[in-house]
Structures are given as C-alpha cells and as structure tokens.
C-alpha cells in the first residue's frame, strides 16, 4: 500500500511519498536528521532553556542576543517533543521565592547558564544575602565550597585504639579481607615494592580497593618508573576503579634512585591515583613537594619505608578528619601512624607477620602503651 508519510520535526514538516512501512527506527533516523538541521542559534537557545526554562523569552533573548520570537518558537518545539516536560515542573522552583531573588529580580536576566545553575542552590542564595558585596552566584558558590572544605579540615576528631584494625592478610587473595565492610574506606594508600614482583600485588590492591572503597573514594599507589606501564595495567584490571591522574613528588636527596642499565637518575617518585566512581574531593595539585628535607629517608621500621612527610600530606589532601584510611601493604606502619596522628581511623594489613607486629607496636605507643 502506498501513501503519504508525514513526520513532524523540530525544524518543520517533511512530506514524502512511499510505502507506509516506516518503522520506529526510521522515524528516529528522521528525528536525528531534523535535529542536525537546527541552526547554531537554535542549538544555543535549546541548551540555554535546559538550565533556564523558567526565564521569559525576552530575558533569554537579551542574554543570547537573539529575537524573543525565535526563543518562543524553540521553546514550543521542545514542549511539543514531550522530552522536556520535566523542565517546566515548578515543584522544584522554591529558589525563585527566595528573598534575595525577590529583591534582585533583574539579576536573572544577566546570568549565563552556569550562573543560573548556581543560583538555584538555596545555600548560595543564603550566602549572597548574607554577603551583599558578592553579586555573582558562581563566586558565592566557590566561597561557600571553600568555607565548607575548611570546616571539614578543621574538625577535631578523637581517635582511640578501637579505631585501628591491623591484621595479617595477603592482598593477592581478596577473600582474606572479608573482615572489612564493603564501601567503608575513604582513602587507600599503598606502597608496594618497586620491582616486577609488585604486579600481582597491585592486581590484588585494585580488587580489594574496588570492594572496600566508598563511592568517590581514592586509591593512591606509590611507585617508581621502571615498570610503570605494567603497574598501571595491573591497577586498571578492575573496571570498578578508574584511573584519575598521575601525581609526582621529589625523592629525598641521597636516595638510591639511579638505574644504571637504563642510564636514568630518577629525581621523583610517582603516585598513581585511581578513583571508585566519581571523585568528590577538593582540587589538588599534581605535584607534591614532600618530602622537602634530606633527612626524610628513614628506613628504621622497614627497608621500603615511605617518608612520613609525604604520607601525611597525601592523607591531609585526600581525606578529612574522622575518615577511614587503609593500607594493604603496611610495612613499617608509616601510613597507620600518620593517619592516627591526623585524626583518621585506620585499617591495614600485610602479608608479613613481623611487619604487622611492628605497626601495631608503633600505633600502641601513640596511645601510651610501652609495646
């Protein structure tokens, strides 16, 4: 059977003849073609409306430098498509009744989409009302976030010995970590050996961290450059963890960092940063100037001991007081000691029973025990 096939698109009406065997898939193709035919101006208006649906056509037109009638046409087409009904829902528009908005009604017409998103936050409006010298919601949002971060950092937390749990366990066997609640760790720091033997260890670190880290939590793995590609592959084997960034920090002066066969004299160590889900912490620099003293090579408690300056800096940057820090390769216990001193709970393990005993002794001494 033949006839007319009429498809309504955002850009107008397309009329054709042919068999009326148009499937849903074909209609979707026509819709994509219609969207592609939108002008740059119309696309800009659509994007603006997604974040500022409640503004008038004239307000949007002034902000974008277009005709208000064009804004009206684009709005109607979006409404007719049925895919943007949620934007016209006024149930979440409490912010529009805020006293600051009522006293500064003209402000909305001057904001870009980013500013409009920020000003819909009641806390931002409260902050702008309390600080009338701030006229930009984005600036108010930034100040508010900074104050909240500082409040978290300044929180005073009392840690007891009951907040520390360190056991003998092999990170290459994930079933040995059932004693730790899934999603209970905020930050995991590990410093495995810097040779090829660390590859299966890093695979285990990745698996355990994927289970035990909370969403948004970070895994930091200290390593050198000799086997960096293999270490990255091992840590990336578990898809629940996502590579986030590569941090660097200086090696202490006098460290045995020369690799003669490669003709390299290394001056930095690497910290591979992985995240479970989406990182929700503060902005951090990818260069950490710690340790910054030549006496930071203390190997008193373990031959691979990491500098306390560096570990403390990582803990402070990537966690807050009261958070739980973990280390599946505790070695001499540097991470455990730094975590407790900084007001963090600690969970750790090591395959070496002597390393666990050393770490427990060091932690107990922090609470006044002789051994």
């Amino acid at each position: 059977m033949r006839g007319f096939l009429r498809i309504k698109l955002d850009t107008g009406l397309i009329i054709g003849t042919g068999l009326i065997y148009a499937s849903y898939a074909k209609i979707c193709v026509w819709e994509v073609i219609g969207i592609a035919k939108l002008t740059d101006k119309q696309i800009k208006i659509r994007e603006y409306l997604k974040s500022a649906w409640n503004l008038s056509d004239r307000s949007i037109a002034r902000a974008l430098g277009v005709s208000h009638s064009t804004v009206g046409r684009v709005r109607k087409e979006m409404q007719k498509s049925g895919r943007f009904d949620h934007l016209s829902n006024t149930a979440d528009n409490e912010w529009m009744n805020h006293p600051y908005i009522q006293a500064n009604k003209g402000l909305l017409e001057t904001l870009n989409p980013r500013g409009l998103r920020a000003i819909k936050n009641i806390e931002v409006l409260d902050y702008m009302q309390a600080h009338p010298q701030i006229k930009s919601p984005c600036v108010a949002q930034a100040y508010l976030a900074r104050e909240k971060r500082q409040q978290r950092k300044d929180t005073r937390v009392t840690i007891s010995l009951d907040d520390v749990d360190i056991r003998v366990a092999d990170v290459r066997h994930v079933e040995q970590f059932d004693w730790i609640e899934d999603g209970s760790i905020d930050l995991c720091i590990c410093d495995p050996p810097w040779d090829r033997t660390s590859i299966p260890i890093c695979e285990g670190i990745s698996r355990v961290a994927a289970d035990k880290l909370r969403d948004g939590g970070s895994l930091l793995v200290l390593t050198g450059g000799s086997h960096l590609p293999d270490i990255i592959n091992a840590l990336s084997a578990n898809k629940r963890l996502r590579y986030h960034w590569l941090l660097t920090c200086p090696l202490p002066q006098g460290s045995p960092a020369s690799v003669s066969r490669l003709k390299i004299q290394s001056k930095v160590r690497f910290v591979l940063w992985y995240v479970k889900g989406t990182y929700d912490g503060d902005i951090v620099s990818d260069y950490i100037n710690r340790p910054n003293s030549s006496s930071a090579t203390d190997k008193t408690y373990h031959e691979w001991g990491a500098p306390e300056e560096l570990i403390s800096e990582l803990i402070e940057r990537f966690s807050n007081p009261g958070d739980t820090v973990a280390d599946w390769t505790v070695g001499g216990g540097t991470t455990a000691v730094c975590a407790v001193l900084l007001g963090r709970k600690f969970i750790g393990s090591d395959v070496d029973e002597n390393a666990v005993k050393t770490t427990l002794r060091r932690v107990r001494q922090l609470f006044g025990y002789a051994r």
Side-chain angles (χ1 to χ4, degrees):
M1 182 171 61
R2 304 180 66 86
F4 284 92
L5 177 61
R6 176 175 294 184
I7 303 175
K8 178 75 172 178
L9 300 177
D10 285 345
T11 53
L13 217 54
I14 294 179
I15 303 175
T17 60
L19 294 173
I20 310 182
Y21 294 135
S23 64
Y24 176 76
K26 290 181 180 179
I27 293 176
C28 290
V29 169
W30 280 109
E31 287 184 349
V32 170
I33 294 173
I35 293 173
K37 289 183 178 180
L38 287 172
T39 65
D40 291 341
K41 185 185 298 183
Q42 290 171 321
I43 293 174
K44 187 184 298 185
I45 294 172
R46 286 167 65 95
E47 292 304 313
Y48 204 99
L49 280 167
K50 289 178 183 179
S51 61
W53 186 268
N54 295 295
L55 292 184
S56 68
D57 294 347
R58 292 186 181 277
S59 296
I60 296 174
R62 281 194 293 269
L64 298 179
V66 299
S67 167
H68 71 275
S69 59
T70 304
V71 176
R73 285 197 300 270
V74 173
R75 188 194 295 269
K76 287 180 181 179
E77 293 298 335
M78 292 175 70
Q79 290 173 325
K80 289 179 181 178
S81 70
R83 290 173 292 177
F84 301 94
D85 291 341
H86 61 288
L87 296 177
S88 58
N89 185 0
T90 58
D92 299 324
N93 293 338
E94 181 183 352
W95 64 275
M96 296 188 69
N97 298 320
H98 193 278
Y100 186 85
I101 294 293
Q102 297 301 315
N104 299 272
K105 292 183 178 180
L107 176 64
L108 297 179
E109 300 181 6
T110 67
L111 299 178
N112 58 24
R114 183 183 173 192
L116 287 167
R117 287 193 296 270
I119 206 169
K120 291 180 181 180
N121 187 328
I122 298 296
E123 289 185 332
V124 171
L125 288 168
D126 289 341
Y127 194 89
M128 294 180 73
Q129 188 171 22
H131 302 82
Q133 73 277 14
I134 298 178
K135 304 300 182 182
S136 167
C138 293
V139 172
Q141 188 177 51
Y143 275 114
L144 185 61
R146 187 173 68 180
E147 289 183 6
K148 285 184 175 181
R149 286 197 299 269
Q150 195 59 46
Q151 288 174 2
R152 291 197 301 269
K153 297 297 183 184
D154 292 342
T155 301
R156 295 291 179 263
V157 176
T158 301
I159 299 296
S160 70
L161 195 55
D162 292 335
D163 295 319
V164 179
D165 194 349
I166 306 169
R167 307 186 188 187
V168 177
D170 189 341
V171 75
R172 292 170 295 184
H173 302 284
V174 66
E175 68 278 2
Q176 295 185 16
F177 290 81
D178 291 342
W179 51 281
I180 302 174
E181 182 183 352
D182 288 353
S184 62
I185 305 298
D186 298 285
L187 170 65
C188 180
I189 302 176
C190 292
D191 186 14
W194 288 12
D195 54 26
R196 192 172 291 277
T197 62
S198 68
I199 295 173
I201 296 175
C202 287
E203 290 177 351
I205 288 172
S206 176
R207 289 196 299 269
V208 176
D211 288 339
K212 308 309 175 183
L213 277 175
R214 65 170 178 81
D215 288 339
S218 294
L219 165 66
L220 305 177
V221 178
L222 283 64
T223 185
S226 296
H227 306 285
L228 190 58
D230 295 329
I231 300 301
I232 291 175
N233 288 335
L235 292 171
S236 303
N238 194 302
K239 301 306 179 184
R240 288 181 292 165
L241 289 182
R242 179 177 55 81
Y243 169 81
H244 196 73
W245 205 255
L246 178 67
L247 312 176
T248 57
C249 55
L251 282 168
Q253 295 179 11
S255 296
S258 297
V259 184
S260 57
R261 64 183 178 82
L262 297 176
K263 298 182 180 180
I264 294 292
Q265 187 178 37
S266 179
K267 294 294 185 180
V268 298
R269 78 177 80 219
F270 300 110
V271 182
L272 291 166
W273 178 11
Y274 284 76
V275 175
K276 181 177 179 180
T278 302
Y279 174 63
D280 57 5
D282 301 332
I283 297 175
V284 296
S285 170
D286 60 4
Y287 179 71
I288 301 171
N289 189 24
R290 295 288 187 278
N292 57 13
S293 63
S294 59
S295 61
T297 58
D298 185 10
K299 304 295 182 182
T300 303
Y301 301 101
H302 198 278
E303 60 178 322
W304 295 323
E308 290 191 10
E309 282 186 80
L310 171 61
I311 299 302
S312 294
E313 184 70 20
L314 292 174
I315 291 173
E316 286 191 296
R317 291 195 186 194
F318 290 92
S319 68
N320 298 308
D323 283 353
T324 300
V325 176
D327 185 353
W328 319 132
T329 55
V330 294
T334 299
T335 305
V337 170
C338 293
V340 171
L341 290 175
L342 292 171
R344 275 71 167 174
K345 303 173 186 177
F346 182 78
I347 295 177
S349 69
D350 200 291
V351 69
D352 183 355
E353 184 176 353
N354 289 328
V356 171
K357 289 181 178 178
T358 298
T359 301
L360 285 170
R361 183 174 66 252
R362 292 185 66 188
V363 171
R364 287 175 61 84
Q365 289 173 349
L366 296 177
F367 294 96
Y369 294 92
R371 51 182 297 175

